[in-house]
Amino acid sequence: MADCATSDLPSRASLACLWLDRPIRRMLAAALAVHLLLALGFHLSPDEAHYALYASHLDWSYFDHPPLVGWLQWPAVALGAADGLLRVVPLACWLLAAWGLVRLSEALYPAGLPPAGSEGRSAGGLSDASHAVLLLWLLSPLPHLLGLALVPDSLLMALTCPILLLVWRLCEPGQQARLPTWLGLGLCLGLAGLAKYTALLLGLSAVAALAWAHGWRLLARRGFWLATALALTLVLPVLAWNVRHDWISFAYQLGHAAGASAWRPSRVLGFYALQMLGYGLLLLAGLWAAWRRPDSGSGPDTLAGPQRRRLPPLAFAACFGVPPLLLYGYLAGRGSSLPHWAVSAWVALLPVAAQGCHGLWSSGRRAGLRAMAGWQLGCCGVMVGLLLGAGLGSETGEQARSRPGELGDQASRNPLADLYGWDNAAVPARALADAHGVNTLAVMNWSLASRLAWYARPMAVKVVNPHQDQFSLWFGNLAPGDSVLLVDWSIMSFAPPVGPSQFRECRWLEQQPVRHLGRQLAHFNFLLCRHWQGPGLPMPGRGLPSLASPRD
């Protein structure tokens, strides 16, 4: 095979060259090793357990998200796979995103590679545009988390590059008549719609870029309508499920986006600060450099004949990246945005940022780039250390033995404590429930239900505090006269729910500590609560036959 340093490589061959390049190969191998180590290092997080339960209760859609995240996990869950194997899908998404970024970078910047035999090809790193995009990806901390724990955004992370690649090709001369390309775009957008509702932003950005290239002639393209029809057909299960459940999923998403508090600029600034920590300062530096030299390495940007002018790469990427970042920033003002929601926006912008970093490197501004790369590598290292070491903070003294509702204001707030102990807590919870003749477990807050329901399955887990959620659909709500085994977690502890509109009595049974690496991170209290006196809440929606019954 030709040497990477001496070959004038086309797009596909350069992918092989990336693998042969020693620094990139080492970084990829190190990243994969860390991913595998983390995958086996702790049990499922709250979101992971929630979406694993999607697969355990297979359905056409769900209360908070479309179904693809559960459908993809179903084979592993149906075979009884261990928690570590449930992390194969997110790892595959992370790898697909890395591969897609290289292909997208080479499509946007076909003239961006250095000439054959140049110093840049042999040096690797930021001296080559294709190496730069992969390096920026490897140094971005937050995508590593999405490649470890499967959430809907993990799927969007993998689908974003194919969507951009297909749209870019459809803007080229002669490609607009190719039905396979249009159908590929419809397929990818439909899958994105099955992954998360915010895929609508990807669809709108795709239409905007195509309209720029084709103008009103876009509406006369048969391929455009076939792609639209295919995408809508794929998301029909989500629409049908919502029709049968009184549109509760759409109502929940709209309410969540509206937020529950007044809009504050400080929250917006905090959101963008987290974006910089999660994706790195190199992206900002690269985008700034690309904005200063928008046509660098992009080749011709006009279409032949009667076609309209095509968006240059910077504007094309901004079409997909800027609207989500602005929207999520605005929503953050009401406290209704999470940092990982913006991953598809950064994936769209990353090839442009890499091209900008490549330009800065080639112009000799290497010290600053090395410093930012070192900072991001350090952030990734700290993140790995905290995950494996269960963060900071432990329970000692009275706090380590507190009963439900005691020392609530003084409780440990180790943010990583919830990654440990839930699998062990499910064992005594089920045993105590059997011993006292109850067939239902309970938690006080909906955010605690997923881990207990996953590790104690197939036992029902109900939520004491009223809240319309997916657990109401799966297990129902408390009804008058119900008795439960209540599991109280010290990091989010509540006073026993005894009173006229709650249980008649709650009796403390026992306590179990959660220890890791010699430290007590948290502890569980188990209570037997008898005779629910509150009102029975109605089940939302009229129901729809599910794809599979809950596991017995």
Side-chain angles (χ1 to χ4, degrees):
M1 184 175 291
D3 188 351
C4 291
T6 58
S7 297
D8 188 9
L9 295 167
S11 175
R12 292 183 182 178
S14 63
L15 291 176
C17 192
L18 281 174
W19 174 246
L20 291 173
D21 182 87
R22 184 173 296 175
I24 296 298
R25 182 178 64 205
R26 287 177 175 174
M27 291 191 67
L28 276 172
L32 287 174
V34 171
H35 273 256
L36 293 174
L37 177 65
L38 291 174
L40 301 174
F42 48 84
H43 292 287
L44 299 186
S45 64
D47 285 347
E48 285 182 282
H50 188 69
Y51 301 126
L53 286 168
Y54 277 20
S56 187
H57 300 80
L58 210 60
D59 209 340
W60 296 108
S61 193
Y62 300 92
F63 175 82
D64 41 4
H65 285 294
L68 187 59
V69 67
W71 290 358
L72 291 175
Q73 290 287 46
W74 176 78
V77 170
L79 293 173
D83 289 351
L85 291 179
L86 295 178
R87 290 175 171 146
V88 170
V89 172
L91 177 58
C93 290
W94 184 81
L95 289 172
L96 285 172
W99 176 82
L101 282 167
V102 174
R103 294 301 304 272
L104 180 61
S105 179
E106 294 174 341
L108 293 179
Y109 298 100
L113 299 176
S118 71
E119 176 188 0
R121 171 61 69 180
S122 60
L126 288 174
S127 60
D128 178 275
S130 296
H131 288 78
V133 74
L134 196 53
L135 183 62
L136 264 62
W137 181 245
L138 290 170
L139 291 176
S140 297
L142 193 53
H144 288 290
L145 292 178
L146 297 180
L148 176 67
L150 182 63
V151 294
D153 298 276
S154 303
L155 305 180
L156 286 187
M157 180 175 71
L159 288 166
T160 298
C161 284
I163 290 172
L164 267 72
L165 269 169
L166 291 166
V167 173
W168 184 256
R169 289 175 184 170
L170 289 169
C171 293
E172 294 176 355
Q175 288 289 332
Q176 64 273 14
R178 292 180 57 85
L179 289 182
T181 308
W182 284 107
L183 293 176
L185 178 60
L187 174 64
C188 290
L189 288 174
L191 291 175
L194 287 174
K196 195 174 182 182
Y197 291 116
T198 53
L200 177 64
L201 296 175
L202 283 171
L204 294 176
S205 296
V207 171
L210 290 168
W212 179 277
H214 302 292
W216 289 106
R217 291 185 296 276
L218 178 66
L219 299 179
R221 301 289 183 192
R222 182 178 56 162
F224 171 77
W225 294 109
L226 287 175
T228 303
L230 178 56
L232 292 176
T233 300
L234 288 174
V235 300
L236 280 179
V238 180
L239 298 175
W241 186 92
N242 272 278
V243 167
R244 298 290 295 183
H245 289 83
D246 299 328
W247 302 98
I248 57 173
S249 187
F250 287 91
Y252 166 74
Q253 293 295 338
L254 291 173
H256 186 67
S261 57
W263 192 87
R264 292 198 304 199
S266 59
R267 291 198 186 106
V268 179
L269 295 176
F271 173 80
Y272 289 121
L274 287 175
Q275 295 298 298
M276 293 304 98
L277 284 175
Y279 300 96
L281 295 175
L282 279 173
L283 270 73
L284 272 187
L287 289 173
W288 173 82
W291 178 71
R292 292 289 300 272
R293 297 180 61 193
D295 297 327
S296 175
S298 62
D301 62 353
T302 56
L303 298 178
Q307 300 291 330
R308 295 166 63 89
R309 179 180 175 85
R310 184 170 65 187
L311 282 167
L314 176 61
F316 178 78
C319 186
F320 288 86
V322 172
L325 287 173
L326 293 177
L327 176 62
Y328 297 145
Y330 173 78
L331 294 178
R334 293 184 176 273
S336 56
S337 284
L338 295 175
H340 64 275
W341 289 4
V343 65
S344 61
W346 288 114
V347 167
L349 293 170
L350 207 148
V352 176
Q355 178 69 11
C357 287
H358 167 44
L360 290 174
W361 183 274
S362 300
S363 64
R365 302 179 184 180
R366 301 184 178 184
L369 293 174
R370 286 194 179 104
M372 285 185 279
W375 165 260
Q376 290 180 218
L377 184 61
C379 289
C380 291
V382 169
M383 179 184 69
V384 172
L386 289 175
L387 286 172
L388 292 177
L392 303 174
S394 58
E395 293 185 338
T396 58
E398 290 184 42
Q399 184 183 7
R401 301 181 297 275
S402 62
R403 297 286 184 91
E406 297 178 355
L407 303 177
D409 294 337
Q410 305 172 39
S412 169
R413 289 294 181 263
N414 186 332
L416 300 179
D418 59 358
L419 298 178
Y420 300 87
W422 287 90
D423 56 325
N424 293 327
V427 176
R430 294 185 63 173
L432 289 169
D434 291 340
H436 291 86
V438 298
N439 59 6
T440 302
L441 305 179
V443 291
M444 291 296 296
N445 187 276
W446 66 273
S447 62
L448 303 174
S450 62
R451 290 153 290 180
L452 185 62
W454 172 251
Y455 290 112
R457 64 189 190 284
M459 287 196 72
V461 175
K462 297 185 178 181
V463 180
V464 174
N465 290 332
H467 185 278
Q468 190 181 62
D469 51 43
Q470 183 63 56
F471 300 100
S472 299
L473 296 174
W474 283 334
F475 306 121
N477 297 304
L478 290 169
D482 278 355
S483 296
V484 301
L485 192 288
L486 180 66
V487 179
D488 184 84
W489 183 49
S490 62
I491 304 297
M492 190 184 295
S493 186
F494 296 84
V498 178
S501 61
Q502 296 180 307
F503 290 101
R504 182 176 296 171
E505 63 169 350
C506 282
R507 179 163 58 93
W508 182 86
L509 299 177
E510 64 179 66
Q511 189 174 101
Q512 176 173 290
V514 178
R515 293 190 175 93
H516 180 70
L517 298 178
R519 291 182 295 147
Q520 179 171 319
L521 304 180
H523 62 276
F524 293 93
N525 286 292
F526 303 97
L527 302 90
L528 178 64
C529 295
R530 294 193 179 275
H531 199 85
W532 176 252
Q533 303 174 108
L537 299 177
M539 292 286 289
R542 291 166 283 168
L544 183 72
S546 62
L547 297 178
S549 300
R551 290 169 51 175
D552 296 327

